[in-house]
Amino acid sequence: MATDTEVLVLGGGSTGCGIARDLAMRGLDVTLVERGNLTDGTTGRMHGLLHSGGRYAVSDRASATECIEENEILREIAGHCVELTGGLFVQRPEDSDQYFREKLEGCRDCGIPARVLSGREAREMEPYLAKDVKRAIEVPDGAVDPFRLCVANALDAENHGARVETHAEVVDLLREGDDVYGVAVRHESGPGKRTHEAAGTTEEITAEYVVNATGAWAGQIGAMADLEVEVRPSKGVMTIMNVRQVDTVINRCRPKGDADIVVPHETTAILGTTDEEVSDPDDYPEEQWEVDQMIDTLSELVPILEEARTIRSFWGVRPLYEPPGTGTQDPTDITRDFFLLDHAERDGVSGISSIVGGKFTTYRAMAEEISNHVCEKLGVSASCATADEPLPGSENIETLEAGMDDFGLRSPVARRSKQRLGSRASEVLETSEANPVLCQCEGVTRAEVRDAIEQSGSDLNAVRIRTRASMGNCQGGFCCQNMANELHPEYDEETVRAALDELFEERWKGQRHALWGEQLSQAMLNYTLHATTMNRDRDPADDDESAEIEFDAFDGGA
Amino acid sequence: MAIEDDVLVIGGGLAGATAALAAADAGRDVRVRLVTYKQSTLRHASGLIDVLGYAPASDGKAEGPLVDPFDALADLPEGHPYERVGSEAVREALAFFDDIAGDAYAGDHTDRNALVPTHRGTVKPTARYPVSTAEGLASDDRDALLVGFETLPDFEAPLAAAHLEAAGAPFSARGVTIPFPGIVRDDAKVTRYAHLLDRDETVTTGAGETGAREALATTVRQHLEGEPRVGFPAVLGDERAAEVRTALADALGADVFEVPMGPPSLPGIRLEDLLYGALEDAGVRVTSGVPVVDYEMADAAGAGSAGAGTAADGGGVGDRIDRVVVDRNGTEIPHRADQYVLATGGLVGKGVRSERERVFEPIFDCHVPHAEDRYDWFVDDVFGEQPYARFGLAPDRELRPLDARDEPEFANLRAAGAVLGGYDFAAEKSGGGVSLATGYVAGRRAAEEVDE
């Protein structure tokens, strides 16, 4: 029986997409399946820090070295996804001098450019730092857009012939004797433009080799073929502020602890995070104290955070793993290294490996190592080129920056659009049609939304992660409906309505944890606009409001 | 020296303006002042006056849309603002509004709700509607052409038309999207559209130079297939809206209506203008752009005593507000009145505010009932029964805000509109009606007490 694909990658996060790109570039036939949308798991739920390695310079120097190497590579190949903000490790009076020295030495030993700033110099750079900050170490931390980076990898994999199938949940691993030879997936009604099978149908995809890159969900996948993968999911909260109070990444310079980082991200800043083991990566408590702790603790570094407006909070789960027998109690002590579990060696089951652990900044290096392993298994000798070949959109960014005024957009919009689109900017923005801004908070134009719809179909959450539309102050209250309008007439009214409902619900979910002050007022305004002005909560077209209205009983005019 | 009035209304939205007008109407000799801080939330609102579109039912599922809102008023739960003032007051307040609005609003010929198409293509029950909307009622069975503009992303006419059909509207609707003659910027403000038509500015089209109204009608006419009425997003003029509508209707040979829109909303702005015109006519003094930042209580001897901090703890039956302090560019100016009406809005208008630990009323620190745990302020379903939507003051039947022991916070303070709690105006579609009814009662009662 013919196999459908050479390599089947399970998981559409940064690791899975990185592996798919790497192998496809090496000429292999690759299929990637993802349960939801790309980035649905851990990748879409991180604080967007591009590590310099400084964070690990004391505790884990191998990781630190790897981080700075990958940091430099990503700035080259994915410039349009990275903002090189720089970062500070800030010492407060109560933080240890010895640790500060160890951090500095560690950075220097690992090849991380590091410079000591006095408290005054640090405050000149970041005026909102607390007045009693003692000193800081400056390192090349950055902010990265995980959505764009992941999508760019997937697009490039497709450009090299891969099949990327989202909204396809693995429901079974196909195992015959001691060999895993594929999976069964159930297709859900995903976005329109991508080729999807009919919703509810099941497909068996056979492969010569299967890579389980499902991160925190790796244990659940393994269990389908009676393989034990003892991943230890650990949750962390991130809280989004409505403006960037800081322009560089602010880390607390102390050994470890929750709530020790602020990452500026486009027009926002993201506070992170906690670290707490959970049993089920799909179902864990999202607790108020975690949000409060972010604000209270980080206010010690940046006092105005105490009074600042938060937009929403979200949680992610780390795919932590440690080899059996290590027995670490505190998840913050578990290594951030990644592990390649070759199930042939480990469990005597051939045809599959699982990838667990790891961190976003080094996703490419992980993908390279795993791809090497897969090639070895399949007897392929092609070598890795992902460190040298730019990702789609990142070529010629300087040329494009220089031509900033070309598109007849106001300059901040043009600049930000081009940053988002990279070298695809002219292709997307050169339109003879009217191109109004649909999302005022983030300055996203109709052309960008339409371009994202081309890529992702009627799934407005997929449009959101590609454009940032609906991710600003109003959290979609003013722009969700404008985004939905662009789906028509390609998609029928009912599809548009369902897509709008889904996006609006999704926007609401994260806000629930930031519901006080300005953001509660915003939530009330959003609710009012959608329920009162549009009457979307009692829409007579919806099924549950289907009792037909007797129109002629109402006022028909004077 | 304090500025002296009989009745001082704080807040310049629908409730505040109505309270001031009702107070002024109640007695010729009553001196009424209205102070407002920011622009009212009227310009966020559709301009429709909803009284009650859906009744909260005991099983949690809303009933409606209601054909006759008055049928349902008697069954509202205790504490609902309508229950506080009684349904007769709602009728009186509507009649009062009808007098003020004159020809600008319709709907007073019947108790029945009208169904108005929204800019998404749903339909919404409402009691009074701007006359610009009158030809668009969804219960009218004439076919309609909906017209949207390429540069106005809020209204996608073909989608709205399809949605109206899905909602079961008893007529056929068709939508087209056209360029708006004379709009060259992709991001022109909605007021720019209105002013082009108001002033009938000369615009250049393929057919040469012509007035904006004629140019718009010419473009639309090419798409008209005999529909007797044509709907536009609500940008058809500002100060001369009636004239613009008539000109378009004449040129098209069809009735013309506006579909209400979100912010900034021209029907909302027109309503605000109408109210402020009426305030001026009624001799109400209006001080705008200034926040009320503090207040002082009257002690037993009748002199002013210091402020907000102590009052919150020491307040009780019979306590009176002596004066409020208004901040004008950093200068604190005392305003003294005999009676006060608080109409500062809800969470949106910032008459009700919140912090991580509490929900509060920022001027007088009146009691706002709310759950202690902020995770009990909301439910997971975005359109579910949201507790936060009901945040606000709990008043007695005189509309005096009550403290935690159900005693009036102050003897001479009443509250009206969205600052009141205990109802979800968005789910019920009752915002306009509650503002009118409570504003009317609060203003009238305040003036009557001055007379005493």
Side-chain angles (χ1 to χ4, degrees), chain B residues 62-287:
Chain B
E63 280 175 30
L66 300 171
V67 173
D68 185 343
F70 295 98
D71 278 351
L73 289 181
D75 298 328
L76 289 170
E78 196 178 331
H80 192 291
Y82 284 144
E83 179 273 333
R84 300 278 91 176
V85 300
S87 57
E88 205 41 49
V90 181
R91 282 186 188 278
E92 284 172 28
L94 275 174
F96 187 65
F97 174 79
D98 291 335
D99 267 354
I100 294 163
D103 293 340
Y105 272 74
D108 60 338
H109 58 282
T110 173
D111 276 355
R112 285 178 295 166
N113 273 324
L115 293 171
V116 175
T118 76
H119 64 109
R120 275 224 75 76
T122 60
V123 297
K124 189 186 109 159
T126 194
R128 298 288 185 274
Y129 39 95
V131 67
S132 68
T133 299
E135 298 291 347
L137 297 191
S139 36
D140 179 339
D141 62 8
R142 291 176 297 159
D143 290 350
L145 174 69
L146 301 181
V147 178
F149 303 120
E150 287 172 354
T151 41
L152 203 65
D154 308 66
F155 181 59
E156 175 70 9
L159 178 64
H163 197 155
L164 276 171
E165 194 171 310
F171 57 91
S172 125
R174 205 163 52 80
V176 293
T177 304
I178 60 169
F180 192 99
I183 292 287
V184 286
R185 283 192 46 179
D186 285 353
D187 294 311
K189 294 192 164 79
V190 294
T191 44
R192 174 70 192 131
Y193 294 80
H195 292 165
L196 259 174
L197 293 170
D198 255 358
R199 300 172 192 144
D200 201 14
E201 288 179 22
T202 303
V203 299
T204 309
T205 65
E209 289 199 342
T210 167
R213 298 174 189 172
E214 175 57 33
L216 178 58
T218 303
T219 315
V220 172
R221 204 182 294 119
Q222 298 158 11
H223 297 277
L224 199 59
E225 291 175 6
E227 287 92 348
R229 53 179 177 160
V230 181
F232 293 89
V235 299
L236 301 185
D238 183 357
E239 282 161 12
R240 297 180 205 156
E243 190 184 310
V244 170
R245 222 167 43 249
T246 308
L248 288 174
D250 288 348
L252 288 170
D255 287 325
V256 165
F257 63 94
E258 289 185 319
V259 179
M261 300 268 284
S265 156
L266 277 159
I269 292 168
R270 292 181 204 134
L271 175 57
E272 190 173 340
D273 291 345
L274 185 152
L275 293 170
Y276 280 81
L279 287 167
E280 195 179 336
D281 293 347
V284 173
R285 293 163 181 80
V286 175
T287 314

Side-chain angles (χ1 to χ4, degrees), chain A residues 294-420:
Chain A
M294 283 308 106
I295 293 165
D296 294 340
T297 307
L298 282 163
S299 301
E300 295 171 13
L301 290 184
V302 184
I304 58 163
L305 292 176
E306 180 70 42
E307 297 305 319
R309 174 172 176 180
T310 74
I311 299 177
R312 56 197 275 124
S313 292
F314 61 98
W315 276 256
V317 273
R318 300 174 187 81
L320 297 185
Y321 180 85
E322 58 180 18
T326 316
T328 305
Q329 296 300 312
D330 183 342
T332 60
D333 289 335
I334 299 177
T335 175
R336 265 53 175 167
D337 262 356
F338 79 95
F339 295 86
L340 194 164
L341 312 180
D342 182 340
H343 294 294
E345 278 174 24
R346 215 184 69 136
D347 310 295
V349 175
S350 64
I352 182 168
S353 289
S354 293
I355 317 306
V356 285
K359 54 191 167 296
F360 183 83
T361 299
T362 60
Y363 87 93
R364 194 211 58 84
M366 283 166 63
E368 177 174 350
E369 199 166 321
I370 294 149
S371 298
N372 287 343
H373 172 80
V374 171
C375 286
E376 195 184 303
K377 290 278 178 184
L378 297 180
V380 174
S381 61
S383 61
C384 175
T386 56
D388 305 315
E389 293 289 327
L391 283 158
S394 78
E395 313 98 287
N396 310 324
I397 188 91
E398 290 84 4
T399 321
L400 279 152
E401 287 290 327
M404 218 171 98
D405 301 326
D406 296 351
F407 300 102
L409 297 165
R410 283 163 298 164
S411 81
V413 175
R415 187 175 72 247
R416 301 197 55 234
S417 300
K418 284 206 257 178
Q419 279 172 352
R420 279 193 294 268

Side-chain angles (χ1 to χ4, degrees), chain A residues 12 17 19 31 37 46 140 211-212 216 243 269 286 324 374 380 430 446 459 463 550:
Chain A
C17 291
I19 296 169
T31 298
N37 215 325
M46 54 174 278
V211 179
N212 173 16
V243 293
E286 299 180 342
V374 171
V380 174
E430 266 179 8
R446 173 182 284 163
D459 183 342
V463 172
E550 281 182 61

Side-chain angles (χ1 to χ4, degrees), chain A residues 25-190:
Chain A
M25 283 173 69
R26 298 190 203 207
L28 276 78
D29 182 20
V30 179
T31 298
L32 181 148
V33 294
E34 159 60 45
R35 178 174 80 169
N37 215 325
L38 294 180
T39 76
D40 249 17
T42 304
T43 297
R45 303 179 148 267
M46 54 174 278
H47 47 39
L49 171 65
L50 181 69
H51 281 286
S52 62
R55 191 173 190 78
Y56 306 109
V58 177
S59 58
D60 183 354
R61 292 196 172 181
S63 285
T65 308
E66 195 179 37
C67 279
I68 187 65
E69 287 170 5
E70 286 302 308
N71 174 304
E72 284 162 6
I73 290 169
L74 287 180
R75 280 189 250 155
E76 287 294 316
I77 65 164
H80 65 312
C81 302
V82 171
E83 184 187 357
L84 195 61
T85 58
L88 295 176
F89 280 87
V90 175
Q91 183 190 22
R92 284 190 50 79
E94 64 270 28
D95 298 339
S96 130
D97 282 338
Q98 192 196 329
Y99 186 79
F100 190 87
R101 281 194 300 275
E102 285 176 25
K103 179 72 84 184
L104 187 62
E105 281 164 24
C107 285
R108 289 179 174 158
D109 290 348
C110 297
I112 300 164
R115 180 167 77 102
V116 176
L117 305 179
S118 68
R120 187 180 52 78
E121 287 171 323
R123 278 187 295 279
E124 272 171 18
M125 183 184 273
E126 284 300 343
Y128 287 123
L129 279 181
K131 296 214 177 347
D132 56 350
V133 157
K134 208 168 151 188
R135 52 186 173 159
I137 303 171
E138 189 189 18
V139 294
D141 281 342
V144 62
D145 184 328
F147 304 110
R148 274 185 269 162
L149 187 56
C150 195
V151 169
N153 272 284
L155 286 177
D156 206 35
E158 285 188 325
N159 291 342
H160 287 88
R163 173 185 176 197
V164 176
E165 192 72 24
T166 55
H167 300 279
E169 182 176 10
V170 173
V171 291
D172 200 9
L173 279 183
L174 305 178
R175 175 174 168 169
E176 194 173 276
D178 285 336
D179 181 45
V180 169
Y181 66 95
V183 298
V185 295
R186 185 174 53 234
H187 293 282
E188 290 305 333
S189 64

